[in-house]
Amino acid sequence: MSSNSAETTAGAGTTADTSVATSVEAAADTGAAVEAAVEAAADTGDTGTDRQPPPAGTREWIGLAVLAFPALLLSMDLTVLYMALPTLGADLGANSTQSLWIADIYPFMLAGFLVTMGTLGDRIGRRRLLMLGAAAFSTASVLAAFASSAELLIAARALLGVAGATVLPSTMSLITTMFKRPAQRASAIGLWMMAFSVGAVIGPVVGGVMLERFWWGSVFLLGVPVMALLLVCAPALLPEHRNPSPGRLDPLSVALSLAAILPVIHGLKELARDGFAPFPLALVAAGLVVGRAFVVRQRRLADPLLDLRLFAERAFSGALVVFLLGMITLHALTLFFTQYLQLVEGLSPVPAGLWMIPFVAGTFAGLGLAPRIARRVRPAYVIAGGLLLASVGFLVISRVDASSGPALLAAGSMVVTLGFGPLMVLGTNMIVGSAPPERAGAAASVSETGAELGAALGVAVLGSVGTAVYRAELADADALEAVPHRTVEAARESLAAVRGAADGLPEGPAGALVDTARDAFATGVGTVALISAVLLVGLAGLALALLRHVRPIGAPEE
């Protein structure tokens, strides 16, 4: 029995030795394979870490040009109507309320539908939605150009706003698809923003030139050839991209998003126009209540209209907060800059547009330089440094008075826009770049909505401050003792109303009223600039606190 056990033990030992030998040989073969793979990776320069996505080629950069033209057109449509409004209002017999809606309905609908359209693009395809929006925009432009009544023009402008809401997030999300390398994506976003900035500035100038040669409807037809070019070039130059698992669209979420955003935007516009009154405050409050209901529903849905998990990303939420707050001061500057040139200096649209060239030049320089600097320096420091520089520009503007001329204001605005460039391009890059590819449309729509809310807040809050200073200066002016009280009260409504209020007065009191009003408006501009300078210093500190964890563009992840 012991002999058999010994033989069995010996056999088992032999089997074990054979297994160990086989394992050693397999391990050696595996080690050789790994060694060969590492050598091959070293030969190709790819070690498996810090692998860069493929760079964008000629097709992508030409496609960016195709995307930039609609951005220029959409921003131009926000301002081109300023010069045509008096003429078309007289031709269509529009009353004051209808004239306001003709001007306001386009940005109103644009802001309201951004979130819905950005998410819809993720679901049905961004290029597809872009082309549908371009076709709708062209159709609405023709309807607006040949509108025979104020009601038809308001309806056409509303359709233009909805179509514009499909185009803006689609173009931005397509940029993230086309430019996968972070450095290239940041540069592409900067170029897109340059086009958008140019459109907003040249809108009144183009409108004035068109009105001198054609009828008022011609300002709307500018969009038709641009959108036609987009429809022709998009299939060849723009890639299609959609969420592979989109889920279903929730109609109630769409309704709640509109019921939240539209009252807030409308209420803020009314606050800027009429001051703090119960009705606009109620609108804002109602929008916030519905917004709360929208958030609750998104948390419960398996396929939400807006994925709230985006806000859990620190780069996304931090950049969005800083971006929104920064737009408050920038849009307040844009509002007062244009009004100062036309109402204080008395310039027509073309000379006023020329004085805004430094404004655009600063924007170009800031948008172009920021992505290059952010390749070596963390974006938070670039953004904070830019905001501090913009604060200096606002301090320059705070020295403006009615006799200083437009040069001081133009110089200060150039410094401001130069400083804002990093926030605009790097902030947007962080917002859309931190979202997963299938949510890029939703992220772009949130970025655009933040800009619209910042613009509305800037006009409502800082615009109200400037108006309050203007009215207070007129009420306390000793030079107006010879002017009738009723005339002074009419002039306090706005600087634009001063010329009409001064008609019929003797030359001395009329001149005193106009000069005092110009001084009062300049004082309001200086006050708003000083407040903006202080706000931007605080915002620079907030940018450092929220975004300093973000690494330089293109740097490998830790």
Side-chain angles (χ1 to χ4, degrees), residues 263-281:
V264 171
I265 296 292
H266 184 48
L268 291 174
K269 287 181 176 291
E270 291 296 317
L271 287 173
R273 182 178 295 123
D274 302 326
F276 289 90
F279 179 66
L281 289 174

Side-chain angles (χ1 to χ4, degrees), residues 482-484 487 501-511 513:
V483 179
T487 304
D503 289 343
L505 292 177
E507 184 177 351
L513 177 61

Side-chain angles (χ1 to χ4, degrees), residues 486-509:
R486 181 181 300 178
T487 304
V488 175
E489 287 300 311
R492 290 183 65 206
E493 288 300 317
S494 68
L495 182 57
V498 169
R499 300 288 181 184
D503 289 343
L505 292 177
E507 184 177 351

